[in-house]
Amino acid sequence: GAVVSQHPSWVICKSGTSVKIECRSLDFQATTMFWYRQFPKQSLMLMATSNEGSKATYEQGVEKDKFLINHASLTLSTLTVTSAHPEDSSFYICSASGTASSPLHFGNGTRLTVT
Amino acid sequence: AQSVTQPDIHITVSEGASLELRCNYSYGATPYLFWYVQSPGQGLQLLLKYFSGDTLVQGIKGFEAEFKRSQSSFNLRKPSVHWSDAAEYFCAVVTNTGNQFYFGTGTSLTVIP
C-alpha cells in the first residue's frame, strides 16, 4: 500500500531555533499534502494544504510566516517551524493524497519539543 | 459547514465485550466517511472507509461500520474487543468535492482485562 514517510519522528530544539520536518510519499505522487497539528488528547487540526508547485493555503489562525511549507516536488513537502517557542511543542502529522476519492495516507508524525 | 461529532470522549469496555463508537456528521450531501485508529505517539491507521454502495462496510482488525443517512451517522463496531484495541479512534469526513478532511475530536478506548 501507499506509504508516507515523515522525518524526524521526534525532535527537541531550543527556543528561537528553527526545525524542518519532511513528509515524503514513497510509492505514489502526491499532488496535495496536508499538515496537521495535534495537541495532547485532542483531535487533529488542519494547519495548511500544500499543492505541488504553488503556495500553501493556510487555515485561519495559522501563521504562515512561522510555519513555512514548501512542496517542491510530487513526493516531498516540508514544514519548517521558525523561531520555535515552547508553545509550538506538539505532534505534527502530514498526510498525502493523489485524488479526492482516495483516502489520505498519513505519516507517523513528528513529536516536537521546544525547550 | 461540515463537522464531525464523536459524542463519547472516553469509553471503557471489558476484553471480549462488544464495542460501538459513535460518529455523527453534518454535511449537505453524502460525504466520504472514514475511521482511523491512533496508538500513543503514532500516526493514524485507516480502519475502514465508506464512499458509496453497501452501507455496512468491513474494515481491518475485525471492525465494521454502518452508514445511516437518516441519522447522519457512521458508527464503528466490533463484536469482541481485544486488549490491543486500546487506542484513540477518530471519525473523519471528506467532502466529495475536495480533499479536506474534518476530524472528530476522537474517542479514547480503554480495554479492561
Side-chain angles (χ1 to χ4, degrees), chain B residues 37 40 42 49 55 59 77-78 82 85 96 99 109-111:
Chain B
V37 60
Q42 300 293 313
K49 61 185 184 290
T55 56
R77 300 194 295 251
K78 185 169 184 178
H82 189 262
D85 293 325
N96 53 22
N99 276 334
L109 174 65
T110 297
V111 180

Side-chain angles (χ1 to χ4, degrees), chain A residues 16-64:
Chain A
T17 62
S18 294
V19 174
K20 180 183 285 189
I21 303 170
E22 292 186 348
C23 181
R24 294 181 184 272
S25 57
L26 297 184
D27 56 0
F28 67 102
Q29 293 184 328
T31 55
T32 306
M33 288 188 174
F34 303 85
W35 288 96
Y36 295 85
R37 181 174 181 177
Q38 185 181 32
F39 291 101
K41 300 190 181 300
Q42 296 188 27
S43 187
L44 284 75
M45 300 298 296
L46 179 66
M47 298 175 65
T49 302
S50 72
N51 296 295
E52 186 267 337
S54 63
K55 289 184 178 181
T57 302
Y58 290 81
E59 294 299 300
Q60 190 173 8
V62 178
E63 300 175 59
K64 61 179 66 177

Side-chain angles (χ1 to χ4, degrees), chain A residues 34 97 99-101 104, chain B residues 27 32 93-101:
Chain A
F34 303 85
S97 174
T99 66
S101 60
L104 296 189
Chain B
Y27 179 54
Y32 299 145
V93 163
V94 61
T95 64
N96 53 22
T97 57
N99 276 334
Q100 188 164 340
F101 262 40

Side-chain angles (χ1 to χ4, degrees), chain A residues 3 8 18 47 61 71-73 80 87 89 103 105 110-111 115:
Chain A
V3 176
S18 294
M47 298 175 65
H71 193 162
S73 77
T80 301
E87 57 264 31
S89 299
H105 309 289
T110 298
R111 172 74 59 192
T115 61

